[in-house]
Amino acid sequence: MTSKLSCAAPLVLDEAVWRERAAAHRARVERWTLPHRERRRRGEPHPVMDFLFTYYSLRPVRLEQWQPGPGALLLGGDELLAVPGHVRDGDSVRLAVDALAPRVTTTAAFVRDLLLATASRPARLGCFGLHEWAMVYRSDAPRHEQVPLRLGAAGTDAVVDSLPVHCTHHDAFRFFTPAARPLNAMTPERADQIANEQPGCLHATMDLYKWAYKLLPATPAELVADCFALAVEVRELDMRASPYDLSGYGYSPVRIETPAGRAEYARAQAGFARRAAPLRRRLVELCEALLPS
């Protein structure tokens, strides 16, 4: 298999250079991994941050690990030979696309098609984060039992009843309560994911992190970290706009039950869509580098 990088001149990284990059990457993500480990040690759940380490399944130790991605030659990089897909090239080590597991190529083809389709659509900014509200609508079992509903059960249900529900993301919709599912303007199925996803969706933006780590060990560590960092910010908005009272965790609410709150949400949503666009392009470029010519 010949990748699209096969004719490009490789980037040669001296050992001191790539080790500095590896250390900088680890220090960057430890901002999130170390507190997560400490909370787990104490048995303390976190309704905002746990999602990024449980729903998204990449282990903290793997998030901290550095790898160069395609197109780099690492001098003195023998330790990378333990990472699948990395081979010796003279006195250097590099990622060899043809040494990767077949599932990486299969994943790259799907991710490329999904992200190109998503990028081709305009951002829809009218959902107001109601997916989190729909997950507790007319239910006696909130998903985050350790935090109260900001408006109570009846007040939460009233908000859902008063606003149009239009969720395009299957992995959010599948957690809707049975009473909420018929309220959604569509029924997003897994098979329709490529046809439905659009760049205004907060979960589609957070999922850039998932697609980055699904392509490991081929994804440059810095790209994984960039996607994770954006996912952290998006998750914070997602939960600030949720029905939960998170003041005890230091999060102020985005009151989407009010016109001002909905406008605040839509502005933030549009900003995240703009910031996600270059990450989506970088992931598409990575996928194309991993696919045969």
Side-chain angles (χ1 to χ4, degrees):
M1 179 173 67
T2 302
S3 84
K4 296 173 177 61
L5 287 179
S6 59
C7 298
L11 174 67
V12 180
L13 298 177
D14 290 335
E15 184 172 359
V17 172
W18 69 258
R19 288 195 181 278
E20 182 178 357
R21 283 178 54 179
H25 168 75
R26 184 182 185 91
R28 180 187 183 189
V29 299
E30 281 181 342
R31 170 186 173 186
W32 301 292
T33 59
L34 294 183
H36 174 72
R37 286 194 180 98
E38 181 59 23
R39 287 192 301 269
R40 288 193 63 185
R41 187 188 67 79
R42 297 194 301 261
E44 295 179 1
H46 195 290
V48 178
M49 293 300 296
D50 284 352
F51 177 84
L52 297 162
F53 295 98
T54 54
Y55 175 82
Y56 293 117
S57 59
L58 190 68
R59 293 180 300 146
V61 67
R62 189 64 188 87
L63 177 58
E64 293 164 350
Q65 185 175 342
W66 183 84
Q67 61 284 322
L73 285 173
L74 306 186
L75 297 173
D78 283 6
E79 66 194 64
L80 269 294
L81 292 172
V83 179
H86 290 76
V87 300
R88 185 177 302 283
D89 188 337
D91 58 355
S92 304
V93 171
R94 63 177 174 85
L95 178 76
V97 172
D98 56 4
L100 292 168
R103 64 96 186 158
V104 177
T105 301
T106 302
T107 301
F110 170 77
V111 172
R112 178 196 60 186
D113 292 348
L114 174 65
L115 299 188
L116 285 174
T118 303
S120 72
R121 302 184 181 107
R124 301 183 65 166
L125 306 177
C127 71
F128 307 124
L130 279 169
H131 55 276
E132 286 289 340
W133 301 68
M135 293 177 192
V136 297
Y137 179 69
R138 296 187 183 177
S139 171
D140 296 326
R143 287 169 58 77
H144 299 286
E145 296 179 354
Q146 74 272 27
V147 287
L149 294 173
R150 185 166 53 81
L151 302 179
T156 299
D157 293 348
V159 171
V160 178
D161 287 331
S162 69
L163 295 170
V165 184
H166 198 138
C167 178
T168 58
H169 196 273
H170 169 72
D171 283 316
F173 177 73
R174 67 190 177 97
F175 291 108
F176 280 27
T177 65
R181 292 176 69 89
L183 302 179
N184 201 40
M186 61 189 303
T187 305
E189 301 286 351
R190 175 72 67 204
D192 301 324
Q193 188 173 10
I194 291 177
N196 288 337
E197 288 205 4
Q198 48 85 21
C201 173
L202 294 192
H203 278 261
T205 294
M206 283 191 284
D207 279 353
L208 294 177
Y209 169 58
K210 175 172 69 176
W211 304 130
Y213 73 70
K214 289 288 188 182
L215 293 168
L216 286 172
T219 315
E222 290 86 355
L223 178 53
V224 178
D226 287 346
C227 292
F228 184 85
L230 184 58
V232 170
E233 293 187 53
V234 174
R235 174 62 177 172
E236 290 175 355
L237 174 65
D238 196 34
M239 291 303 287
R240 288 177 59 218
S242 79
Y244 297 102
D245 180 357
L246 297 170
S247 57
Y249 293 85
Y251 297 99
S252 60
V254 176
R255 302 180 187 277
I256 60 98
E257 69 272 17
T258 70
R262 292 193 290 276
E264 179 184 358
Y265 183 91
R267 285 194 300 271
Q269 192 178 24
F272 284 133
R274 288 191 295 272
R275 292 171 60 189
L279 294 179
R280 192 172 285 111
R281 286 194 296 270
R282 287 165 65 188
L283 284 168
V284 167
E285 290 169 359
L286 173 64
C287 290
E288 292 180 342
L290 299 176
L291 294 172
S293 301

